[in-house]
Amino acid sequence: MLTRITNNMRFTTIIDNLNRAQNNYSSLMEQMSSQKKINRPSDDPVGATRVLDYRSAQDSIAQYGRNIENADAWLQLTDTKLENIGDLIGQAREAGVNNQSSETAQVLAQNVGSLLEEILSLANSKFGDRYLFSGSATDGAPFERIILPVANSENGFDGSVYTGGTYTGTADKSYTVRIAGSGAPGTATCELSDDGGATWSAAATVPASGTVSLGDGLTVRFGDDGATELTAGDLFYVNAYTGGQTTDARIDTPRAAANNGFAGAVALDASSGTYGGDRNRTYAVKFVGGGAVGDADYRVSSDGGKTWGAIQTASWGNTITVDNTVGHEVVLSLTASGPTDQLDDNDLFFVNAYAPGVYSGNGEDLSIATGRGSHMTYNVTGEEAFTDRGRGTVDLFAALESLKTALENGDREGVNAQVDRLTTAQDSIRQYVAESGARMSSLNISKENYQVLDDKISGLLSETEDVDLEQVIVEFKMKETALQAAYAMSVQIGKLSILDYLG
Amino acid sequence: MSGIYQILNTAKDAFLASQISMEVTGSNVANASTPGYVRQRAVLAAKSPGEVAQNATQSGVEITTIERLYDRFIEFQLVDQSSQVGDASIRKETFDRVEAIFNETDGGGLNDMMNQFWKAWEDLSANPTGQVERTGLANAAGNLTTMFREYADELYNVQVDLNVQIEASVGQLNGTLSDIAGLNDKIVQGYSGGVNVNNLLDQRAELLKKTAGLIDIQYVEETGGAVNVFTADGRALVQQGRSWQLDVRNNGGFYDVVYADNPTVPINDAIGGGKLSGMLGMRDTTVAGYLAELDDLAETLVNAVNAQHASGYDNYRNVGGNFFEALGVTGARGMQVAAAIQDDPNRIAAAATVSADGDNARAISDIKDQALMSGTLSTLGDFYAALVGQIGQDVAEAGRTATHEASVMTQMVSAQEQRSGVSTDEEMINLIKFQMGYSAAAKLAGAADEMLQTLLDMV
């Protein structure tokens, strides 16, 4: 039996066909205008997922590239500064080597002094507003002009000597300490001069603590770590500079985090000793759960808050010992501002403690992500480059200051000893120059690899989401023809009817 | 004697038959485009003579019935398919909206914002005290939360819109059900009174399809002419002249479908087809599922960043607080950067120690590479990409289903059209046929008249 074709059927067929042709046509039109074959996730769900993955990978690569550029810039600056410093050390060394006559010695000493200041300002170089050589404590200058006690090379005494206190004088001054009577501190006597040895004070006993007051707030301390006691005729020179940094171990004033709940005061307790560590440290105390002074539980960190000790729950009066090395305790005391003043959860207090020497930064590395899960250290710490702490070999600024003083005082042997130290210092600086050069080249290799990878991913991305234009244009033409045919047909359909043939 | 008058009577029958046939043709032509109209045909039968005679040669014609030309089986299939199409079409429409939300193909979406966020942390790790980097990170974090909120809000809005549509559809359904009940009454009366109820039958068939488009039903026709309508699992919706009204009841923000006379028992699960099924399924399963995944993503991100942030120190040496506000019951819809960070980017804890280093910022940027999602199988970015891929697949699938169901529907409609649709050509030819019949009857009457005249003239 023949199919009955009704009016509705003829028109619905036409409408269906027109719709289909138009859909195909507009989908191709969209692809042509957006140049993409994935215009919504359902066009190709797997492809859409891949596109997102590729985009994230490209973003990561771009970021690694930026990280590498940052680190590279930092390293380049470090490299330049270290090379300059190495050259200046060489000049200072030459001054020591050239020390032939006493007339030139004073000139050479001045020369070394200005080289020292130049090196000091280089060692305090910044990258943007961050200090290059402060370790991770990049917000503070790592070095100050040093107030160094220099022992005469013919001295009997072979223990350490430190300066302490804060020099309050308004002009630079040269102090000299001369031992008048031999013995250990408490027995030995000494004379002082503050005009380079022209006039001397009366002999006085060196206190048992070994700390002798020089005047203007400055002290000098004889350590008990030597084999030979103070010997009559021993000479110690101290050049004091306004605003200079003394070399004895010291502990900063403790500080509280800005948004602590606790409103009271934090201070270094009187029971604290001299800081006994051999590297700079930041101690921190964090309260857990909060409570009144003496009751609140807390934890102590000796690495600036990176890692924390066990929670301490015993009552603690008003003092917390953050370093319990016997004789060298570091103790904080807390005083509430009123009866209702309490410690809150996460209230934080911290204190910087500095080992003897002049470095104010720390020995921590700065690092940057150079790839998924891989990090690269990009800084050279002042500690390793310019001090004898941690990985460091020579206290550069002490050597320079000693050289200057030895030249001033015509101490030939002293000069030679410092020239040797400076040679070592120069070698170690060169080693860090080489190290940062190696890091830069490894960064450059990573960067090039990333460029290659980026190109590949761009290729993959384009393959996944971009249209093959030729193919689309051909298809578009085909669909256009189909659509035109459908239009032509739909116009014809109404024309055929039996009504046209009825009289 | 009977002869000539009988001829006139027969001619009268023929006039009548032609006229009625033409009326039916007229009605067919007039309703050629009326949706649901079933073509009709006057069924003619030879009228047997009054008494059985030995050699009865004459018989008149009579209209036994006006037949509705339709196929009950196709009708059943059409009703069933209406449910499939209703379900598939609402799903497709909703999916198109959902897909537009997650359209990441042009960039600038959530994926981009997440990448920007991690990049800002790395920039900060390179310069931990830099105000530009801190403000940049606060902005990137703000954009990320805005994007999360927008996506989640959009999904939630889709749910809310579906909810409103569910309420409207239940109202519409109640209307069609009571209309069917009303028609049942009229049809039963018409049948018993021998009245032509073809139009009413057409209307009721249309209403059944409309009902099935909203909710999947089964129906049986009683001998008296009434149809009884049931849900797929056999609950009565219409019985003869009575319909059971449905209603919606608020259940935790969204509506359940219930019987008006039993409002505490939701019948959501009994609805397996029609738009209502599509709306309920999209609202409670599909969109709710996407929203849950988005919430999961937001929650994992917030918790991971907050945990790492708390082990660092801000520019004022404070222990890091929350970077994001903890997520509440609204999930990703309520995602916010912590107020303290918004107010002062110096509160961002970039340092791992109190010395202003950038190691904590780096540790936070490392979160992007940690497999935190799907039971430590994928990273946050992978999880999101997979979600977009899943949505794409679901949309494509829904599109295919909708196209398939629609084309099945087209075939069935076409099958029904073949049987029940009006063809003007055919009607025209029938018209000619009935016109000729009418002319022939006139000739017959004329011949009988002449014969009678001849007879009279003989007198």
Side-chain angles (χ1 to χ4, degrees), chain B residues 362-396:
Chain B
R362 210 197 53 208
I364 290 177
S365 81
D366 283 350
I367 291 174
K368 74 168 190 294
D369 293 327
Q370 292 167 8
L372 298 173
M373 302 299 301
S374 325
T376 71
L377 280 178
S378 61
T379 65
L380 296 164
D382 291 345
F383 179 82
Y384 180 69
L387 174 61
V388 171
Q390 181 63 50
I391 290 172
Q393 222 133 31
D394 289 353
V395 173

Side-chain angles (χ1 to χ4, degrees), chain B residues 302-377:
Chain B
V302 164
N303 290 346
V305 169
N306 278 353
Q308 188 60 47
H309 194 252
S311 67
Y313 304 90
D314 66 20
N315 247 2
Y316 306 116
R317 284 16 179 211
N318 296 305
V319 174
N322 273 349
F323 184 83
F324 292 112
E325 302 289 0
L327 281 191
V329 285
T330 50
R333 281 193 289 140
M335 190 172 174
Q336 287 280 359
V337 177
I341 306 274
Q342 279 179 343
D343 294 347
D344 182 2
N346 281 317
R347 296 296 300 271
I348 296 170
T353 69
V354 290
S355 319
D357 59 297
D359 281 0
N360 203 45
R362 210 197 53 208
I364 290 177
S365 81
D366 283 350
I367 291 174
K368 74 168 190 294
D369 293 327
Q370 292 167 8
L372 298 173
M373 302 299 301
S374 325
T376 71
L377 280 178

Side-chain angles (χ1 to χ4, degrees), chain A residues 3-4 6-8 39 42 49 55 59 63 66-67 130 136 139 257-259 304-305 308 348 350 367 375, chain B residues 39 99 103-105 115 122-123 126 313 316-318 347 353-355 362 366 389 417-418 421 424 426:
Chain A
T3 309
R4 284 184 70 242
T6 66
N7 292 20
N8 283 339
N39 286 297
S42 61
T49 308
R55 289 230 187 92
D59 277 343
Q63 185 60 37
R66 268 169 75 161
N67 291 351
R130 306 171 76 201
S136 71
D139 55 346
N259 296 70
W308 293 95
L348 186 82
F350 62 95
S367 58
H375 303 141
Chain B
R39 81 184 153 108
E99 187 181 34
N103 198 354
E104 297 272 343
T105 48
N115 291 341
E122 290 203 27
D123 280 343
Y313 304 90
Y316 306 116
R317 284 16 179 211
N318 296 305
R347 296 296 300 271
T353 69
V354 290
S355 319
R362 210 197 53 208
D366 283 350
E417 269 290 318
Q418 269 189 47
T424 340
E426 189 182 272

Side-chain angles (χ1 to χ4, degrees), chain A residues 58-78:
Chain A
Q58 278 192 317
D59 277 343
S60 290
I61 288 172
Q63 185 60 37
Y64 293 141
R66 268 169 75 161
N67 291 351
I68 287 172
E69 271 167 32
N70 273 331
D72 192 55
W74 179 288
L75 277 167
Q76 277 186 22
L77 193 64
T78 305

Side-chain angles (χ1 to χ4, degrees), chain A residues 129-130 138-139, chain B residues 123-134 314-315 317 346 350-351 355-358:
Chain A
D129 52 3
R130 306 171 76 201
T138 56
D139 55 346
Chain B
D123 280 343
L124 183 61
S125 83
N127 188 13
T129 49
Q131 292 306 304
V132 177
E133 285 80 0
R134 284 177 176 269
D314 66 20
N315 247 2
R317 284 16 179 211
N346 281 317
S355 319
D357 59 297

Side-chain angles (χ1 to χ4, degrees), chain B residues 19-36:
Chain B
Q19 247 173 18
I20 290 177
S21 291
M22 280 165 86
E23 274 170 27
V24 171
T25 300
S27 137
N28 282 345
V29 169
N31 286 298
S33 310
T34 307

